[in-house]
Amino acid sequence: MDTQWPRYEVFKQDSPHKAHEAVGSVHAPDAEMALLQARDVFVRRPSAVSLWVVPETAVFAITAEEIAANPVPPLPPIATHAQTYLVFTKTSQRRSMTFVRHVGEIVAATPQIALQLAMESGRFNEDAVFVWWLVPESAITRSEPGDIDSLFTPAHDKTYRQQSYYGFVSPTRNRK
Amino acid sequence: MQSDPVDTDRLQEFETRIARGEKIEPGDWMPDEYRRQLIRMISQHAHSEVVGMLPEGAWITRAPNLRRKMVLMAKVQDEAGHGQYLYHAAETLGISREEMLAALLNGRAKYSSIFNYPTLTWADVAWIGWLVDGAAIKNQTMLAHCSYGPYSRAMVRICAEETFHYKQGKEMIVHYMSSGTPKQKAMVQDGLNRWWWPMLMMFGPHDTDSPNSPLLIRWGIKTKSNDTLRQEFINEEVPELLALGLTIPDPQLAFNEASGSWEIGPINWDEFWQVVRGNGPMNAERLAARQQAHDNGLWVREAVAAYAAKQQA
C-alpha cells in the first residue's frame, strides 16, 4: 500500500497576535491526521499557538507573473453561493521561513472572483503582492484552543532543541 | 538551451527577475533545465536528511546518559522533519513524494556520500554534529539565498534548527578533549581520523570537475562554488580543532600566510566516486534499512487509512 495520501497545506500561527503563515505541506488521509502530522513536522520547537490545515486542492494560488500574463476576467453578472474566502499574500522577496500570510477575508462565489474583489478592494496592498492564495473558510481545519496543551506546550520544555541552550562554543575564543 | 523565440524572451525575463533578487515561486515560468536541476538537488537533499537519520539513530539506545539521549533523539527527529520540508519543496516542482521515495528505495536516487560511512563509536555522533552538520550548514546557508522560493524557505528553516545539531556536537568534543579521560580523548581523535576526509568530500567535486555549477550559479540556485565553500569551512574549523590539541589527518595541511588560508593535501576522489556509485562501506546496509522501515511501516499506513475511512463512513 504505497498510494500517496492527499496533500494538506499547513498554516502556523506563532503567537496570538500574529497572522497565520503558510509553512509547507504534509500528506495525510484526513484533516485530523494532517493536523497531527503538521505538529510533528512544523512544531518541534516552541513557536506555535495554532495550526490550520487545508487540502491542497482547495487552495487557489496565483502569482503576480501569472496575473500579468492572464489578467483576471471581468466579474460574471450574478454571484451565487457566496462564501467566505481567506486571503493570503506574499509581499516580500526577503529570505523567510514562511510563504504567504493571512491578511483578511473576502466573500465571493468563486476564488477567481474573490481574487478580483481582493485586488480591487485596496485593502491588501495589491501592487506589492507577489503571490495570492484564496482559501474557502469551509475547507480549513483548525487546532482548537483546548489542543494547545497537548499539541504545542510540550515543545516548551525541550530547551535542548534550541541552539541558545549551548551558549557560545569555541575552543579558540575560550583560550584568549 | 531553448531555441523557441518565445522561450528566449521568457528566459531573458526570468534571468532579469533573478538578477533583481526576486524569488521564483510555484506557478511562475521557469526553464525546464531550472526545474530539472532543482528536482535533482532538492530530492537528493531530502534523501540525505532521511538516510542521515540512520548513522546517528544507531546510537540512541547506547547514548551515555539521559541528557545525551534526549538531545540525540531530538536531533534525529529534526532530520526526519527536514526530509519532509524538502520533499514538500520538490513537490512544488511537479514530482510526487511517491516517485522520490521509490527512487530512493530502488537505488536510483543519490544522497550525500557521507552517510555511507559507519558510526563506530559514540564520538562519531559528536563528529557528525560538529563537522558533518557544520559542512551541511555551510552549504545550506548558501542555498537559503537561492532563487527558488520553496527551496530557500526550507533552507532558512533547516539552518535555524541545524545550528543546534552543530553546537551539541561541538560541545561534546570540547568537553571530552578538555575534561575527558585519555580513552575518551583517543576515541575523539580516532573519530576525526575517519571523518575528516569524507567530510571534506561532502562539498562535492572540485570546481573544475563540477559541470553543473556555472549554470546553477547563473540562475541563483547556488551562489558559491564547491571549492569556495570547502575552503571557508576549512579556514573556520581548522584553528578550532587544533586549539583542542587534535591532530588533523593530513600531513600536508599548512597555513598559507599570503592567502590567509589553510591549504590541504589532495582529496582521494577515487574513494568519493566509489561511494557515490554505491560501493561505500554502508551503501547496501543504508538502503536495506530504509526498505525495512518502509515495509515495517505498512501496518501503520493501513491502520491510519482504515481509521480515516471509518470516520468518513
Side-chain angles (χ1 to χ4, degrees):
Chain A
M1 197 197 81
D2 291 331
T3 305
Q4 180 157 291
W5 287 328
R7 198 161 87 206
Y8 286 81
E9 295 291 347
V10 178
F11 302 86
K12 181 161 81 81
Q13 184 185 33
D14 287 348
S15 71
H17 303 294
K18 287 189 177 167
H20 283 76
E21 296 175 309
V23 289
S25 65
V26 294
H27 291 261
D30 61 18
E32 183 189 357
M33 279 302 298
L35 267 183
L36 293 175
Q37 295 262 32
R39 196 281 303 263
D40 289 346
V41 174
F42 295 104
V43 199
R44 292 186 307 280
R45 283 169 179 72
S47 58
V49 293
S50 165
L51 284 175
W52 296 345
V53 292
V54 176
E56 165 221 4
T57 47
V59 175
F60 177 72
I62 192 162
T63 68
E65 186 185 279
E66 290 175 295
I67 294 173
N70 289 298
V72 182
L75 288 175
I78 302 165
T80 52
H81 304 298
Q83 59 174 320
T84 300
Y85 285 87
L86 272 63
V87 181
F88 297 82
T89 59
K90 179 195 170 189
T91 54
S92 169
Q93 299 285 10
R94 292 193 7 225
R95 275 188 302 151
S96 173
M97 287 189 197
T98 55
F99 187 21
V100 292
R101 169 182 304 195
H102 177 216
V103 288
E105 279 78 33
I106 289 282
V107 177
T110 70
Q112 289 84 355
I113 297 170
L115 170 66
Q116 188 165 10
L117 291 174
M119 290 173 70
E120 289 170 356
S121 70
R123 288 163 52 200
F124 302 113
N125 198 14
E126 66 277 1
D127 292 336
V129 174
F130 298 104
V131 181
W132 297 86
W133 277 20
L134 284 302
V135 177
E137 188 170 31
S138 58
I140 301 174
T141 302
R142 305 163 194 254
S143 61
E144 306 281 340
D147 297 336
I148 289 178
D149 276 354
S150 64
L151 284 182
F152 309 131
T153 307
H156 287 265
D157 296 331
K158 296 176 182 171
T159 50
Y160 50 84
R161 283 187 184 274
Q162 308 286 74
Q163 58 145 314
S164 53
Y165 176 83
Y166 300 90
F168 187 78
V169 187
S170 168
T172 49
R173 298 284 184 88
N174 291 347
R175 275 163 35 124
K176 279 174 191 166
Chain B
M1 236 165 297
Q2 278 92 358
S3 52
D4 185 330
V6 179
D7 275 1
T8 309
D9 287 351
R10 296 190 108 173
L11 180 62
Q12 198 168 11
E13 171 61 17
F14 170 83
E15 293 190 342
T16 307
R17 288 190 61 195
I18 288 175
R20 278 202 300 261
E22 290 184 24
K23 297 285 184 224
I24 306 302
E25 296 291 353
D28 288 343
W29 187 86
M30 63 186 78
D32 290 343
E33 183 62 9
Y34 180 82
R35 185 185 300 274
R36 199 183 71 80
Q37 290 287 351
L38 279 170
I39 289 176
R40 178 184 67 82
M41 285 177 67
I42 301 173
S43 62
Q44 282 181 17
H45 199 158
H47 299 325
S48 300
E49 301 282 355
V50 170
V51 177
M53 289 190 278
L54 297 170
E56 291 184 288
W59 281 91
I60 289 176
T61 56
R62 294 175 284 169
N65 58 50
L66 184 58
R67 175 177 174 269
R68 296 284 182 209
K69 184 185 287 224
M70 290 195 305
V71 167
L72 183 56
M73 281 170 61
K75 180 178 185 309
V76 172
Q77 284 172 354
D78 274 353
E79 310 297 5
H82 296 174
Q84 298 301 319
Y85 301 160
L86 287 159
Y87 285 128
H88 158 77
E91 282 178 305
T92 63
L93 293 157
I95 187 169
S96 75
R97 198 169 300 210
E98 200 176 24
E99 289 171 82
M100 290 185 276
L101 284 178
L104 173 63
L105 292 178
N106 69 24
R108 261 190 304 123
K110 292 196 173 70
Y111 53 85
S112 181
S113 56
I114 195 80
F115 300 118
N116 289 316
Y117 291 85
T119 40
L120 301 180
T121 73
W122 173 253
D124 291 6
V125 172
W127 282 121
I128 287 178
W130 182 353
L131 293 183
V132 173
D133 291 331
I137 291 169
K138 202 81 200 144
N139 190 42
Q140 288 163 352
T141 303
M142 170 194 75
L143 290 169
H145 291 276
C146 104
S147 57
Y148 187 56
Y151 197 20
S152 164
R153 288 188 287 275
M155 287 296 107
V156 175
R157 190 174 289 277
I158 287 173
C159 286
E161 299 184 352
E162 199 88 20
T163 305
F164 134 59
H165 302 178
Y166 171 84
K167 281 189 164 183
Q168 61 83 34
K170 196 167 178 180
E171 183 208 45
M172 243 192 289
I173 302 283
V174 171
H175 174 70
Y176 295 141
M177 290 309 290
S178 57
S179 53
T181 63
K183 206 172 165 186
Q184 284 174 320
K185 289 181 186 177
M187 178 179 75
V188 169
Q189 179 63 56
D190 166 69
L192 180 60
N193 294 347
R194 287 180 289 108
W195 289 96
W196 175 254
W197 289 107
M199 177 276 293
L200 292 180
M201 295 174 196
M202 282 176 69
F203 292 95
H206 284 310
D207 297 349
T208 45
D209 300 316
S210 182
N212 291 326
S213 282
L215 188 64
L216 296 177
I217 288 174
R218 175 185 167 118
W219 283 344
I221 298 176
K222 289 168 75 163
T223 52
K224 290 178 180 178
S225 75
N226 295 352
D227 283 330
T228 302
L229 283 175
R230 183 166 24 236
Q231 190 61 53
E232 284 181 9
F233 191 68
I234 291 167
N235 288 348
E236 286 163 21
E237 302 301 349
V238 163
E240 303 272 292
L241 294 165
L242 295 179
L244 289 171
L246 287 157
T247 304
I248 294 170
D250 178 359
Q252 292 180 53
L253 181 76
F255 187 69
N256 182 326
E257 295 281 351
S259 66
S261 275
W262 287 90
E263 291 177 355
I264 59 168
I267 293 173
N268 182 353
W269 293 111
D270 288 342
E271 176 183 326
F272 174 76
W273 289 114
Q274 279 298 318
V275 178
V276 168
R277 290 186 186 120
N279 303 318
M282 298 294 281
N283 293 61
E285 193 163 333
R286 297 297 184 231
L287 277 191
R290 286 316 314 159
Q291 185 66 55
Q292 193 186 18
H294 190 71
D295 296 345
N296 290 347
L298 176 62
W299 73 269
V300 179
R301 296 195 292 280
E302 285 178 344
V304 169
Y307 176 77
K310 198 173 151 192
Q311 294 299 104
Q312 279 181 350

